[in-house]
Amino acid sequence: MELPARFVERVLRDLGEAEGRALCAALDTPSPVSIRLNPAKCGADEGSCRIPGEDALRISGEDVAAECAGLVSGKCAGPIPGACAAEGADSRVPVTGVAGRSVCRVSGAEAADGSAATCDDAVAGLLRRLGATERVPWSDAGWYLAARPLFTLDSDFHAGAYYVQEASSQVVGRLLGGDALRGARVLDLCAAPGGKTTLYASLVGTEGLVVANEIDRRRAQVLADNVRKWGTGNVAVTCCEPRTVCDFEAWFDVVAVDAPCSGEGMFRKDDGARVEWSEGNVRMCAARQDDILREAWRALRPGGTLLYSTCTFNRDEDEGSLERLAAWAGGELAEAPEVRMDAAWGVVCGRVGVFRTFRFYPHRARGEGFFAAVARKAPDAGGRTRTPKARRSIISAVDRTSAAELARWLREPERMRFGEVAGTCYAWYAAQAEAVRQLSDALPVICSGVALGQIFKGRLKPDGALALFAGLDRGAVPVAELGEEEALRYLRRQEIAAQGLAEGVNLVCARGRALGFAKRIGARVNNMYPNSLRIVMK
Ligand code: SAM
């Protein structure tokens, strides 16, 4: 399908003939495929994804054909049998013994600074299986894949081990300072389906909180599913208009506006974006972005960071939105810290007043079209923290006996607070439990913390979300490790064999990662995987 003629005219005018033509040509090439790993489930020090008895691995960019041969000839005691034979030349994973540990090398895979990156063997297996080729250079956990696999038929996708996320948009973590975000309270104002929400959730850690808001109810449910799957337990999903959630004034350390836009950056990936594009739509989007930014500004505390992004090349929706914001908020704006971008990555860095701006053009950087900008609200901007009036209290206390039963399922129960909402028990990290209570009292919160399940006769009937929670204590119930085929049967909510399951409730895992629960009663197995999440594809 052709690019819209008025779009082509504009980019040739704005970017000049040569640059404009290069952009249009790139929009007719295939999109790169990329994922972002979940550190809570794939970290080198993370117990939950380790396969017992297997060792840590390193991934480097060396050409590994020789070592690969070594593995095949049996010289290596590495933990990935047959790895070299897997999935063709681009995904060779040889294993060699080094100082009592195992080293795994994936062709072309290295950190942005050229150093080897460490991850565990299950992660190396995952990267190999998906055909990971190299890191997304501006993202700590991002990887490009050689081709698009059928993610739906990969149990690790359902375990929340990674999120399929376009590469350019992964830069937002870097713009917010990466690990410097630990402990922060972030508002992701336009959040569904949750690509950036899950990235922020990984960065703020268990001391922080992400409030992920989505105006569209159906999309908010998808967002909630993705948040549960990510399993960090530090996200509250709300479904309201920006002005409602932003009544929590000067309450957030970071407000991220990933604005609904005319989607020119998606022209390569999505023909629908080309069909829907019009100059009228661009104007409508720009006006809507102004409204959203006004609300976002109220929610940001003095000294906090505003992150604005779109997936369009359109100046009116990008620099234009920032200029219009500066026209009324000018005196309250301040510079954000500098962000290092390697020139070789092809990101176009610029300024709009105090805003630092970052443009991704597909003919320059390896990703889709994307625009992002950061600035701060001046520390002396004024404005007091205000929360809207509580409408009702929906969280009630759990009794001591129930709390003891709930604690049994968690690795760090002392860091959590328990409560009950409509008959289901929840846990929230203590650091943000009061904040979540304030939100729940005032706004429609779709999910928050970790749904643990319901207590019957003193025993917990666990919720599917608990299986996906990275802080689950695996000693709480027997673990049933399924092969991939059986795991897919489980994820389809089909019958699975009782053999290998203990009597009663089991944690169902595949490749060492938790998927859900199942209950064995004699020769029968009750598949407890949520119906709404089941794979429907044949
Ligand atoms: N941040 C998301 C991610 O990384 O997965 C993508 C967000 S998408 C670009 C923009 C979102 O804004 C959509 O989910 C859309 O439903 C929502 N939206 C649409 N109109 C809106 C409005 N008036 N106010 C706030 N959000 C709106």
Side-chain angles (χ1 to χ4, degrees):
M1 160 168 232
E2 297 274 298
L3 289 166
R6 302 299 290 266
F7 165 80
V8 176
E9 260 171 47
R10 195 197 77 223
V11 297
L12 295 184
R13 197 172 58 235
D14 286 357
L15 299 181
E17 183 77 16
E19 187 84 11
R21 293 253 172 252
L23 169 59
C24 292
L27 290 174
D28 282 327
T29 60
S31 293
V33 185
S34 50
I35 57 159
R36 183 171 42 79
L37 296 176
N38 183 347
K41 299 186 178 187
C42 298
D45 55 0
E46 180 52 55
S48 66
C49 72
R50 304 275 311 245
I51 296 172
E54 293 192 347
D55 215 338
L57 299 172
R58 295 171 73 228
I59 296 181
S60 85
E62 294 175 37
D63 184 347
V64 291
E67 288 144 308
C68 198
L71 173 67
V72 172
S73 67
K75 282 182 203 153
C76 165
I80 309 183
C84 289
E87 298 172 7
D90 281 338
S91 54
R92 292 166 301 178
V93 182
V95 182
T96 54
V98 170
R101 293 173 76 80
S102 300
V103 174
C104 155
R105 295 186 167 123
V106 177
S107 180
E110 63 178 32
D113 60 3
S115 65
T118 307
C119 65
D120 78 31
D121 44 2
V123 179
L126 185 160
L127 291 172
R128 181 184 65 240
R129 236 179 341 93
L130 294 180
T133 53
E134 61 189 284
R135 282 181 175 276
V136 175
W138 46 80
S139 164
D140 282 345
W143 289 84
Y144 292 106
L145 308 185
R148 193 174 187 86
L150 204 46
F151 292 111
T152 310
L153 299 185
D154 178 25
S155 64
D156 275 338
F157 172 74
H158 299 275
Y162 60 89
Y163 192 98
V164 183
Q165 187 176 32
E166 190 283 302
S168 305
S169 58
Q170 296 185 28
V171 80
V172 293
R174 187 178 199 87
L175 303 188
L176 292 178
D179 286 342
L181 210 57
R182 207 144 283 273
R185 193 185 286 169
V186 175
L187 172 60
D188 188 0
L189 197 47
C190 312
K196 297 180 191 70
T197 296
T198 53
L199 199 164
Y200 303 141
S202 296
L203 291 177
V204 301
T206 52
E207 298 285 307
L209 174 70
V210 178
V211 177
N213 181 66
E214 169 56 43
I215 195 169
D216 179 301
R217 185 161 292 278
R218 195 183 45 82
R219 288 174 64 83
Q221 289 300 343
V222 176
L223 169 65
D225 285 344
N226 284 330
V227 161
R228 286 189 204 101
K229 202 156 77 171
W230 202 246
T232 43
N234 58 355
V235 181
V237 175
T238 58
C239 177
C240 36
E241 293 195 12
R243 76 179 139 88
T244 310
V245 67
C246 293
D247 279 344
F248 279 79
E249 290 188 7
W251 209 65
F252 293 94
D253 303 305
V254 173
V255 178
V257 175
D258 190 31
C261 68
S262 58
E264 296 169 0
M266 292 293 124
F267 279 177
R268 173 158 74 167
K269 238 179 149 173
D270 178 10
D271 270 353
R274 297 185 185 203
V275 175
E276 280 167 30
W277 187 90
S278 71
E279 287 174 323
N281 191 34
V282 167
R283 280 191 296 276
M284 191 271 282
C285 287
R288 183 166 59 185
Q289 288 150 3
D290 292 350
D291 292 344
I292 297 174
L293 279 170
R294 255 183 203 278
E295 300 301 341
W297 197 248
R298 282 199 299 132
L300 189 62
R301 71 159 170 83
T305 303
L306 176 70
L307 170 62
Y308 177 72
S309 57
T310 73
C311 58
T312 195
F313 306 112
N314 201 298
R315 234 202 136 271
D316 280 353
E317 299 177 60
D318 294 342
E319 288 87 349
S321 289
L322 305 178
E323 284 159 1
R324 292 189 296 275
L325 166 67
W328 59 264
E332 296 187 350
L333 276 164
E335 242 177 41
E338 204 174 320
V339 182
R340 195 184 69 79
M341 289 284 168
D342 192 319
W345 301 344
V347 183
V348 179
C349 303
R351 299 289 289 238
V352 173
V354 297
F355 276 98
R356 297 181 192 281
T357 64
F358 305 87
R359 269 192 178 281
F360 288 73
Y361 290 112
H363 62 293
R364 286 176 169 269
R366 195 162 166 212
E368 300 306 335
F370 188 65
F371 173 84
V374 274
R376 281 205 162 146
K377 192 181 229 182
D380 59 357
R384 277 191 315 119
T385 302
R386 279 221 308 248
T387 55
K389 209 161 156 247
R391 290 187 301 168
R392 71 252 181 269
S393 187
I394 60 160
I395 304 176
S396 55
V398 299
D399 62 60
R400 234 199 262 178
T401 328
S402 302
E405 164 64 3
L406 298 176
R408 192 173 74 73
W409 292 76
L410 300 171
R411 280 214 310 262
E412 299 179 297
E414 68 288 352
R415 294 189 55 217
M416 316 228 39
R417 298 287 172 268
F418 300 124
E420 195 183 306
V421 181
T424 296
C425 298
Y426 284 79
W428 299 272
Y429 280 105
Q432 296 289 345
E434 183 48 35
V436 174
R437 177 183 291 277
Q438 288 179 8
L439 283 166
S440 313
D441 287 352
L443 301 177
V445 173
I446 291 181
C447 74
S448 67
V450 191
L452 301 174
Q454 295 168 333
I455 302 249
F456 292 108
K457 296 183 183 155
R459 303 286 286 181
L460 181 71
K461 181 184 175 216
D463 192 287
L466 176 56
L468 296 166
F469 177 45
L472 167 75
D473 184 339
R474 292 205 167 199
V477 281
V479 172
E481 174 73 28
L482 305 186
E484 189 65 4
E485 217 172 287
E486 192 72 343
L488 290 175
R489 289 184 61 75
Y490 173 76
L491 292 167
R492 291 185 160 110
R493 269 190 125 243
Q494 293 169 340
E495 244 173 65
I496 57 167
Q499 191 194 12
L501 271 73
E503 192 66 17
V505 174
N506 292 249
L507 179 70
V508 174
C509 295
R511 298 193 168 107
R513 295 193 177 87
L515 299 173
F517 295 103
K519 186 172 183 180
R520 177 173 178 176
I521 309 158
R524 241 193 54 235
V525 176
N526 177 12
N527 186 332
M528 295 164 74
Y529 195 66
N531 202 26
S532 59
L533 298 182
R534 99 194 135 95
I535 300 177
V536 285
M537 186 184 196
K538 291 283 162 238

